[in-house]
Amino acid sequence: MCGIAGLWSPTRYSENTDGYAAKMADTLYHRGPDGRGFHFDPEDGLAMIHTRLSIIGLNSGDQPIYGREEDGTGGLVLTANGEFYDYKRLRGLLRTDGYEFNTKSDSEIALKLYHKHGLDFVDHLRGEFAFTIFDKEKQQLILVRDRFGIRPLFYHLGDNGFFWGSEMKAMLAHPDVSREVCPKAQLHQMMQVMVPGMTLFKDIQALKPGHMLIVTRKGDDFEMEARRYWDAEFPLDGQHDQLPDEEHIENVRAALVESITFRLEADVPVACYLSGGIDSCSIIGMAAAIQQSPVKAFTISFDDDRYDEAHIATEMAEKAGADQDILSLKAEDLYGKNFEDAVYYSERTFYNTLGVAKMLMSRHVRDVGYKVVITGEGSDELFGGYAQFKADLFLHDPEYAATPAAEEMRKRNAIFSGSVLAETQISHPAFEEVMGFTPSWIQPWMLTLERIKPLLSDAFKEKLGDYDPIAAIAYSLDKSMLDGRHVLDKVQYSWIKTMLEGQILNWGGDRVDMANSLESRPAFLDHHVAEMAMRIPPHVRVRDGIEKWVVREAMKHVLPEVLYKREKFAFMAPPAHTDKKKAAEIDKLIAKWLSPEKIARHGIFDEKKLTDSIEEYRKSDDHAANTRKDIILNHAIALHAMEDLLGV
């Protein structure tokens, strides 16, 4: 795992470029504290930057990596962030094709595969990655991001050249990159859900998951072509793999064992995150069987029994013979400077302080001496694990509509009303057009938006005009990937394209892990696992109201009985209103970041309306309403803080 950045500026390259590149690298030190490397090409006006976190090829994996004249790859330069799995087999095949290697790094295979296969080389890559290849002969720069967006990659094309980076702060370290904030993005940050590719800044885009960007020099200008090379393509309804249950179960077992085996490979020790969910528990159970030595397991414990899963994680650790390490977090840990740091590293707002908790966990893991963890993200997305997905099954699938399971589920998930589940059913015509219904997962954020609108200043509303963020999200989805699909496939696809990359893998994944130089490897998001999962019939993924049924059955001999039978419980930190100490801590952040001076400077909110709303929140005892206002406050604080911390 590493950090990458760079600039291609034929008309602005100067004696100052080296210094700017060094400043860009400085902002990515947390992503690569083990070394840094640069490629400077004054002739082409190019600078490529790499900061290294050494995981594989500890003594021979420095970057940039250069091609070799002997095998035809001269003129190619690579900087890569992430891991390529199955690289040893590919290295062997490439060597028999006549390719020479300069390093023992897994990253070098990308350079050789590009030379051999051209732009189709991405089909041969397996893992989580974001990288750039410069092809001097073609005067092209190729940026590639992994299929799910596990690793971040941003870019900017302006009058002064093309810039890119693992994090936006790397580009903002260069004076030629615009800092103009996008009002539409500010609104999306306030309601949680971003349009894919959108960032806080008007002129900085995120490379979308499963995409490559081909930048070609044309004189002193550039042409850009974005190309999708992979998508989460579910079969048409009725065309899923019709296999006996046992065969589906065995396929899941085999795919996960292979994925975890690949992710246990490193030249440093590998640990696992362990919560009370079946995803991380399944991983720890399989890792303990695969690895010869006891697996190190790290667990977060909250000081509120309603949200704490540590006791279930402990039962799993004991069953697997894992060496468990529990990090206990208190109210004051999740706010103050820790909250601000999580915002700075995530470069976006978050509705719940789980992102802060995970950042503190990654710090603890590094302090204990680990650089790599395997995580359980992606299982809910691929196997139908979220309550919102089941809600849509109960509403829109005839086989479930007539059962009492929906009402039972609502009662069991009442604690999440106002956060991940909407208090009332609402719809939007754009989603009705694109999907045929308004998915349950977007409805809480639609309600959040409705509560935000009255708090906005008149000047900010003028900037927005008639912009409809919900329609923008809906129309960002590829309708051809939704038409003719089963309702469960539709909601999974729409979530994967928005919330997985924008939330789960951001402030719930890479950004808060790499804040402390920790590489996280989500085993369920191996694309071989994903492609197998998407072909499993919906009623095998969710059966009789039991989410992730096929995963439970595949792992039943690994999991404790209490977990095998337990319904999915959303893993989140206790909201501020649930505890007086937490309320006191968020009040300190409100005083700092939502002061009259800050409100006036940023111009997003109407001071009186926001202040009145905060006072109502402090006096209310309505759990659902207060949970919604917790979200709004977290977003408002984070939005003001982010703009200041990033130097806007």
Side-chain angles (χ1 to χ4, degrees), residues 635-646:
H635 284 165
I637 292 165
L639 191 54
H640 280 183
M642 175 168 49
E643 293 182 11
D644 284 9
L645 294 170
L646 293 178

Side-chain angles (χ1 to χ4, degrees), residues 597-636:
E597 295 77 18
K598 293 288 186 185
I599 292 172
R601 189 174 91 76
H602 291 279
I604 301 169
F605 302 105
D606 179 291
E607 180 190 342
K608 184 177 187 308
K609 291 177 181 177
L610 181 61
T611 302
D612 288 348
S613 177
I614 292 170
E615 287 307 310
E616 288 175 13
Y617 161 79
R618 287 170 173 156
K619 296 173 182 177
S620 172
D621 59 1
D622 183 324
H623 173 74
N626 284 349
T627 299
R628 183 78 56 212
K629 287 193 174 180
D630 274 325
I631 290 169
I632 293 171
L633 286 174
N634 284 338
H635 284 165

Side-chain angles (χ1 to χ4, degrees), residues 2-8 20-21 23-28 31 37-39 46-51 64 79-81 130-132 141 143 153-154 162-173:
C2 307
I4 62 172
L7 61 97
W8 195 4
Y20 290 140
K23 290 180 179 178
M24 294 169 76
D26 289 342
T27 67
L28 298 176
R31 297 192 70 91
F38 301 89
H39 170 69
L46 177 75
M48 299 176 73
I49 302 158
H50 186 266
T51 63
T79 53
N81 164 34
F131 63 89
T132 58
L141 187 72
L143 285 72
L153 189 56
F154 301 91
F162 181 80
F163 300 79
W164 70 93
S166 294
E167 299 183 10
M168 293 186 290
K169 58 180 69 70
M171 288 182 286
L172 295 173

Side-chain angles (χ1 to χ4, degrees), residues 34 56 71 73 149 288 362 404 457 528 642:
D34 297 332
I56 291 175
D71 61 14
T73 59
S362 69
S457 70
H528 291 252
M642 175 168 49

Side-chain angles (χ1 to χ4, degrees), residues 151-219:
R151 303 299 169 228
L153 189 56
F154 301 91
Y155 64 92
H156 161 76
L157 178 62
D159 294 338
N160 296 318
F162 181 80
F163 300 79
W164 70 93
S166 294
E167 299 183 10
M168 293 186 290
K169 58 180 69 70
M171 288 182 286
L172 295 173
H174 197 291
D176 285 345
V177 176
S178 169
R179 284 173 157 72
E180 184 180 355
V181 172
C182 174
K184 295 175 183 177
Q186 289 175 308
L187 183 63
H188 280 281
Q189 297 268 5
M190 278 300 300
M191 63 161 285
Q192 178 65 23
V193 188
M194 299 291 286
V195 174
M198 176 184 279
T199 76
L200 178 66
F201 299 96
K202 180 181 177 182
D203 297 315
I204 297 178
Q205 286 75 47
L207 183 58
K208 295 177 185 177
H211 279 68
M212 67 172 70
L213 186 71
I214 302 135
V215 184
T216 306
R217 181 178 176 181
K218 299 290 183 181

Side-chain angles (χ1 to χ4, degrees), residues 200-343:
L200 178 66
F201 299 96
K202 180 181 177 182
D203 297 315
I204 297 178
Q205 286 75 47
L207 183 58
K208 295 177 185 177
H211 279 68
M212 67 172 70
L213 186 71
I214 302 135
V215 184
T216 306
R217 181 178 176 181
K218 299 290 183 181
D220 290 336
D221 295 321
F222 297 98
E223 289 182 357
M224 289 196 311
E225 178 194 355
R227 183 180 299 187
R228 185 173 70 185
Y229 68 87
W230 190 89
D231 204 356
E233 187 170 0
F234 288 86
L236 294 173
D237 195 10
Q239 295 184 12
H240 298 82
D241 291 342
Q242 302 300 322
L243 304 172
D245 285 348
E246 192 53 47
E247 197 165 337
H248 284 302
I249 292 165
E250 187 54 41
N251 288 343
V252 170
R253 286 188 188 126
L256 286 176
V257 166
E258 181 181 75
S259 175
I260 292 167
T261 301
F262 279 135
R263 283 158 180 78
L264 282 169
E265 183 164 344
D267 293 335
V268 296
V270 178
C272 295
Y273 277 163
L274 177 62
S275 68
I278 69 170
D279 313 322
S280 63
C281 288
S282 296
I283 287 170
I284 204 79
M286 287 182 281
I290 296 164
Q291 187 167 288
Q292 297 301 309
S293 57
V295 176
K296 186 74 173 180
F298 291 94
T299 300
I300 292 173
S301 178
F302 294 118
D303 60 351
D304 186 328
D305 291 342
R306 295 170 296 173
Y307 296 85
D308 187 42
E309 298 183 323
H311 61 289
I312 298 175
T314 297
E315 187 171 341
M316 182 66 222
E318 291 172 351
K319 181 177 178 66
D323 178 14
Q324 187 185 27
D325 185 323
I326 299 177
L327 176 66
S328 298
L329 296 175
K330 303 182 295 298
E332 52 267 35
D333 297 323
L334 301 178
Y335 297 93
K337 188 175 185 304
N338 289 333
F339 185 102
E340 295 165 356
D341 285 348
V343 170

Side-chain angles (χ1 to χ4, degrees), residues 577-595:
H577 76 272
T578 60
D579 179 87
K580 289 183 179 179
K581 290 182 179 178
K582 294 180 180 65
E585 292 299 322
I586 200 170
D587 277 346
K588 295 175 186 176
L589 286 172
I590 290 170
K592 180 176 181 179
W593 294 109
L594 300 181
S595 66

